Amino acid sequence: MKKVMVLNCGSSSIKYRLFDRKFNTLLHGIIERIGERARILHHKGKKRMKKEIDVKNHKQGISHLLKLLHDSEWGAIKRVTEISVVGHRVVHGGQMAETALASGVALGYLKLFTLLAPLHNPHNITGIEETKKAMPTVPQVMVFDTAFHQTMPRKAYMYGLPYHYFDKYAVRKYGFHGTSHKYVAQDAARLLKKKKPNLITCHLGAGSSITAVKKGKSVDTSMGMTPLEGVMMATRTGDIDPSVVQYLVKRYEFDFDEIFDIMNNKSGLLGISGVSKDVRMISGRAKKGNERCKLALEMFCYRVAKYIGAYAAALKKVDGIVFTAGIGENSPSMRRRICNYLEILGVKLESSQNRKSGKKPVKISAKDSRITVFVIPTNEELMIAREATRAIGGI
Ligand code: ADP
């Protein structure tokens, strides 16, 4: 009877998944376009519902979801007490290293970090507060994208600013996608049959980040105080000289916020290609000879490969490289291009294996490759469910 619910509240959406106690999915879905013409996409087994609904805010969204969970045809519970715990995805947890019960104090601390993740944290917090009200007897646990990276040593997370910027303003690298990096790192350890391997995990989706995992712990990661740092992404610049901002503001009178909007939402694959932020679309045009599309793909792969090289140095010895998320899981050609840069590390792909993309983990390196390379589909929701269950001492 005991179940685990996972919620991911975005600015205008609520993604949800209900697991049984063995972490099998009972149902899942998304309520999106909250506030406008809201609609729900709900899956239960092979049945799928898609319809417009009258949901104006997160409060109404949660209440709609609760009604649906109780529905005899579409739901999976009779009483809300069947849900043992709700795990919430929270983007920025500041210096919180562990999952935390969503107490008033913890939420208060989280609000301090809202400025660092203005696009996500406020909605995560609203989602948690509304869920707490709707299910007052069910423990609510926050699982942070940043938590896995709290094991980074100071030399990795400090910026070269005067020290008090860290002390006084908490300016440092936090890193993101931690739940995903942790999940694939654990799975890679299982596949390698090694308890604590050294790994480089590459989460390559719309947002992309690379992490150096030493004996199961994150020791460096490419995203920074915010997700803007690191490799080039679908619409984000990734690493860039901050003086570019000053130059554009002073010399060309750009508006400061406008530049950050451009760097977050109009750059990267989209900005370079001028065509799309989606690798599938860009690849199609590149094949037809579009030079900017070719450049966008090449820049992406080159920058990912440079981080892998840097993290090989940080780890000294690398047992495995893992590709995950939309691009990492589904694009053999991007994986090949990235690995072509890694000859110095002795990385060799088995092309027949690399062509495989699916829902199961697959080893794509050749037998004589010095480092084993995997594609491992990420499962952040499952990881959040496990972490939330662990946080309440099991169910
Ligand atoms: P999000 O960060 O939104 O969760 P995803 O991990 O789902 O992103 O990744 C989305 C991206 O994955 C798309 O923008 C696209 O570039 C890429 N992608 C998805 N499927 C494929 C595919 N079959 N081939 C190449 N790229 C793909």
Side-chain angles (χ1 to χ4, degrees):
M1 294 291 272
K2 291 180 173 174
K3 298 174 181 74
V4 182
M5 179 96 190
V6 171
L7 286 183
N8 181 354
C9 298
S11 54
S12 61
S13 69
I14 301 172
K15 285 190 200 149
Y16 57 89
R17 191 174 286 266
L18 188 69
F19 294 92
D20 68 14
R21 63 183 309 169
K22 290 191 173 149
F23 300 116
N24 299 306
T25 295
L26 297 170
L27 53 79
H28 66 108
I30 178 168
I31 300 173
E32 56 189 4
R33 301 196 310 218
I34 293 173
E36 298 166 52
R37 286 165 45 241
R39 65 178 181 185
I40 187 164
L41 251 165
H42 181 83
H43 303 257
K44 187 182 176 193
K46 289 205 171 92
K47 285 200 310 185
R48 188 168 172 271
M49 172 212 286
K50 183 178 178 183
K51 67 172 187 186
E52 294 212 351
I53 50 176
D54 186 24
V55 163
K56 294 194 174 57
N57 49 42
H58 282 76
K59 185 177 177 176
Q60 291 179 4
I62 302 281
S63 129
H64 187 91
L65 175 57
L66 272 177
K67 269 194 216 124
L68 194 63
L69 291 182
H70 287 83
D71 187 88
S72 57
E73 187 186 354
W74 291 99
I77 62 170
K78 288 206 171 67
R79 276 175 294 276
V80 81
T81 47
E82 285 173 40
I83 300 175
S84 303
V85 60
V86 180
H88 293 269
R89 178 194 178 210
V90 178
V91 173
H92 211 308
Q95 304 203 41
M96 286 202 261
E98 280 292 336
T99 48
L101 272 172
S103 64
V105 176
L107 279 171
Y109 176 78
L110 202 59
K111 281 179 186 164
L112 292 177
F113 281 89
T114 296
L115 256 185
L116 296 185
L119 299 180
H120 293 96
N121 269 22
H123 311 292
N124 297 156
I125 293 170
T126 309
I128 297 168
E129 286 174 340
E130 292 305 332
T131 317
K132 276 180 85 165
K133 280 185 215 153
M135 309 180 199
T137 55
V138 184
Q140 312 283 325
V141 172
M142 304 187 287
V143 181
F144 307 108
D145 279 16
T146 44
F148 181 55
H149 302 300
Q150 280 296 306
T151 47
M152 283 190 289
R154 265 206 299 192
K155 67 178 178 192
Y157 70 68
M158 290 293 289
Y159 290 124
L161 286 163
Y163 193 87
H164 72 276
Y165 281 75
F166 164 66
D167 256 0
K168 203 168 167 188
Y169 308 118
V171 173
R172 52 162 285 180
K173 185 188 268 282
Y174 289 93
F176 298 87
H177 293 141
T179 312
S180 173
H181 287 292
K182 187 173 180 179
Y183 176 83
V184 297
Q186 286 183 355
D187 215 34
R190 177 182 67 80
L191 294 165
L192 284 165
K193 298 195 177 68
K194 273 194 160 189
K195 256 201 174 149
K196 293 185 172 168
N198 283 0
L199 301 162
I200 298 173
T201 51
C202 308
H203 178 109
L204 308 179
S208 296
S209 66
I210 320 294
T211 294
V213 183
K214 190 173 191 172
K215 297 185 177 170
K217 293 194 168 134
S218 167
V219 291
D220 208 340
T221 192
S222 59
M223 281 181 167
M225 187 171 94
T226 75
L228 191 51
E229 191 182 339
V231 294
M232 192 178 92
M233 306 175 211
T235 62
R236 294 189 190 116
T237 54
D239 296 334
I240 189 170
D241 181 347
S243 306
V244 169
V245 180
Q246 185 201 33
Y247 170 74
L248 291 174
V249 170
K250 290 233 161 147
R251 175 75 176 79
Y252 291 106
E253 294 180 356
F254 272 87
D255 178 72
F256 195 73
D257 287 336
E258 186 189 348
I259 293 175
F260 276 87
D261 178 43
I262 289 168
M263 293 202 305
N264 271 296
N265 303 313
K266 298 179 181 121
S267 302
L269 289 171
L270 173 67
I272 298 291
S273 72
V275 163
S276 167
K277 60 181 181 179
D278 193 310
V279 165
R280 286 165 288 196
M281 191 93 138
I282 302 170
S283 300
R285 293 288 185 89
K287 274 188 199 133
K288 288 186 184 143
N290 184 311
E291 290 300 328
R292 273 174 53 187
C293 286
K294 285 188 204 169
L295 175 64
L297 299 176
E298 214 38 78
M299 283 174 70
F300 183 91
C301 296
Y302 178 61
R303 285 168 173 233
V304 169
K306 282 205 297 183
Y307 264 98
I308 295 176
Y311 289 167
L315 291 171
K316 295 196 181 104
K317 176 179 178 293
V318 185
D319 299 298
I321 295 173
V322 183
F323 289 104
T324 192
I327 300 168
E329 289 169 28
N330 298 302
S331 178
S333 72
M334 295 297 268
R335 295 194 296 254
R336 180 176 42 76
R337 282 167 198 248
I338 293 166
C339 290
N340 278 346
Y341 285 108
L342 305 178
E343 210 172 310
I344 185 128
L345 300 176
V347 170
K348 285 189 199 161
L349 290 191
E350 179 68 57
S351 23
S352 59
Q353 285 294 100
N354 183 41
R355 277 196 290 275
K356 288 186 184 164
S357 292
K359 292 205 164 96
K360 291 217 169 92
V362 43
K363 179 177 146 185
I364 59 169
S365 48
K367 276 209 180 87
D368 58 343
S369 178
R370 250 192 293 161
I371 299 176
T372 310
V373 185
F374 294 109
V375 176
I376 300 181
T378 193
N379 197 337
E380 285 161 289
E381 287 165 338
L382 174 60
M383 195 71 206
I384 293 172
R386 284 186 193 154
E387 296 268 319
T389 307
R390 196 172 53 87
I392 59 159
I395 56 170

